[in-house]
Amino acid sequence: LGKPDLAQAAFADAEHADPGYAPALIGQARVKAQQTDLAGALALADKALALDPKSPDSLQFKGDVLFAQHQTADAITVFRTIVAQKPNYLSAHWALIAALERQGDAAGANQALAALQAIAPKHPQTYYFEALVRAQEKNYPAARDAIQQQLALFPNNSAGMLLAAGIDYEMGAYDRAEAGLVRVLQSDPANDYARRLLVGTFVKSRQPAKALDAMKPMLGRFGSDAVMENLAGEVYLLNGDPAEAAGHFEKATKIDPAGARQKAGLALTRLAQGDAAGGVRDLESAATSDSGTRSDLMLISVAMRQQQWDKALTAIDALEKKEPGKPLAANLRGLALLGMRDTLNA
């Protein structure tokens, strides 16, 4: 009811009345977890398990806390213990599959999914986790079939709608992805993952104004998120603001230099140090060796900001070869020609 202090006091009174009552300890632990005191929650879970080592509820809570602490291997051990002791304890099966997927253990996740399907083949969450496993395998048609079965049974499930949208995104069905993500955000406007995916959907479908509008509620909340900074750079570039785009690309490289392509990261470092020629040269090299378009977009944004229009046009030509038939290159070429005051060809 939003009163954790009262709840904590009630659980403490219950423990005082019966020190051997493990559920009271787990109740206190849940309050601590809600207050983000995961270490305190784990200590109370261990105390409860000392009283009742085989309690599936206490074990499940401990596993959930370990998972939240990114102690995934330990969480998997706990979830497997529950499944072995109480095979019909469904939440342990669900948590086990999620943990195995996080660890990248595709074979283990498939085995855990088969065990869940044997126990509850028609349960909505069985379909959900089948979709999750198939999506991780990049078997998107099978993943979509499974998640549609889940949503047929549980149509307003936010997690299901979000996974369905992610699958549609990967399949290039951007209209379906957009519709699903809009529904998720209507019920959960603070869901930044859904918003990020919606922005990415608009970028992929080349709807720059919609992408910017979708991103605005997140501005100022990127923190140390290099992926979001990169996405923001793309959004601003699509909206014809190369200066703002370059700023976000530079932030992304500062946040995660090892995760950026090496040549592009070096290029932005040189640019930050004032070596404009060296930075552009490295971006040109990165764009040539990169089969994707991110390095090209970075090069175009930097060249436009520096008013090196010939280099920008050369980079736009290369981008067009990588994405033939898409309007982005033509739009950027128009911006570059306007910058050169060539209004006739723009």
Side-chain angles (χ1 to χ4, degrees):
L1 296 176
K3 297 181 179 180
D5 293 340
L6 293 177
Q8 181 80 350
F11 288 128
D13 288 343
E15 183 195 3
H16 181 73
D18 183 0
Y21 189 54
L25 291 168
I26 293 299
Q28 292 182 66
R30 292 187 190 283
V31 173
K32 285 191 175 293
Q34 290 171 359
Q35 297 171 337
T36 68
D37 181 5
L38 296 180
L42 189 59
L44 285 168
D46 284 334
K47 190 175 178 181
L49 285 166
L51 297 170
D52 186 359
K54 292 186 177 182
S55 166
D57 292 341
S58 298
L59 285 166
Q60 179 74 42
F61 180 78
K62 179 176 181 176
D64 291 341
V65 173
L66 290 168
F67 186 81
Q69 292 179 318
H70 290 270
Q71 298 184 50
T72 309
D74 291 338
I76 288 171
T77 299
V78 174
F79 297 140
R80 281 184 165 149
T81 299
I82 303 170
V83 169
Q85 292 178 359
K86 193 171 182 179
N88 63 345
Y89 198 86
L90 294 182
S91 59
H93 287 270
W94 305 337
L96 176 59
I97 295 170
L100 289 165
E101 285 292 354
R102 177 194 277 179
Q103 204 173 45
D105 185 352
N110 265 294
Q111 291 173 357
L113 174 62
L116 175 61
Q117 289 172 324
I119 295 167
K122 303 296 183 181
H123 194 286
Q125 288 299 88
T126 301
Y127 291 125
Y128 175 88
F129 282 100
E130 180 184 359
L132 180 66
V133 171
R134 299 295 166 249
Q136 291 296 324
E137 295 171 343
K138 300 189 185 303
N139 184 353
Y140 297 118
R144 188 168 193 276
D145 287 345
I147 202 61
Q148 290 305 312
Q149 291 185 76
Q150 191 249 15
L151 289 171
L153 296 169
F154 203 176
N156 295 318
N157 179 253
S158 291
M161 289 190 292
L162 188 54
L163 180 55
I167 293 166
D168 286 333
Y169 175 90
E170 295 294 343
M171 294 179 74
Y174 300 125
D175 288 346
R176 289 202 308 255
E178 176 187 346
L181 291 165
V182 167
R183 283 187 64 199
V184 172
L185 287 168
Q186 284 173 345
S187 60
D188 184 10
N191 191 321
D192 281 351
Y193 177 78
R195 189 168 295 282
R196 175 189 298 185
L197 191 55
L198 181 60
V199 174
T201 298
F202 288 137
V203 168
K204 287 287 188 180
S205 59
R206 302 304 184 196
Q207 299 183 73
K210 284 188 175 182
L212 184 58
D213 287 342
M215 187 177 67
K216 282 179 179 177
M218 293 183 67
L219 291 175
R221 297 209 311 267
F222 293 168
S224 298
D225 191 337
V227 173
M228 200 61 222
E229 291 289 359
N230 266 318
L231 183 58
E234 291 184 37
V235 170
Y236 279 109
L237 189 56
L238 285 168
N239 278 278
D241 191 343
E244 187 70 22
H248 285 284
F249 285 135
E250 289 167 5
K251 286 181 183 178
T253 304
K254 289 178 182 177
I255 293 168
D256 186 15
R261 292 184 177 88
Q262 185 175 356
K263 291 178 181 178
L266 176 61
L268 290 179
T269 300
R270 287 183 172 178
L271 288 168
Q273 293 172 340
D275 183 2
V280 171
R281 184 172 60 249
D282 284 336
L283 277 176
E284 288 173 329
S285 176
T288 300
S289 61
D290 185 0
S291 60
T293 61
R294 179 153 298 176
S295 296
D296 300 84
L297 294 172
M298 292 167 67
L299 173 60
I300 292 165
S301 71
V302 170
M304 284 186 170
R305 187 174 65 173
Q306 294 180 351
Q307 298 185 10
Q308 297 188 44
W309 305 113
D310 289 340
K311 287 186 182 294
L313 287 170
T314 299
I316 291 166
D317 289 341
L319 174 66
E320 190 170 39
K321 290 178 181 178
K322 290 182 179 180
E323 291 191 332
K326 292 189 176 181
L328 175 60
N331 293 338
L332 291 173
R333 185 177 290 107
L335 287 172
L337 292 169
L338 285 173
M340 298 172 69
R341 303 186 187 281
D342 185 353
T343 56
L344 180 63
N345 290 312

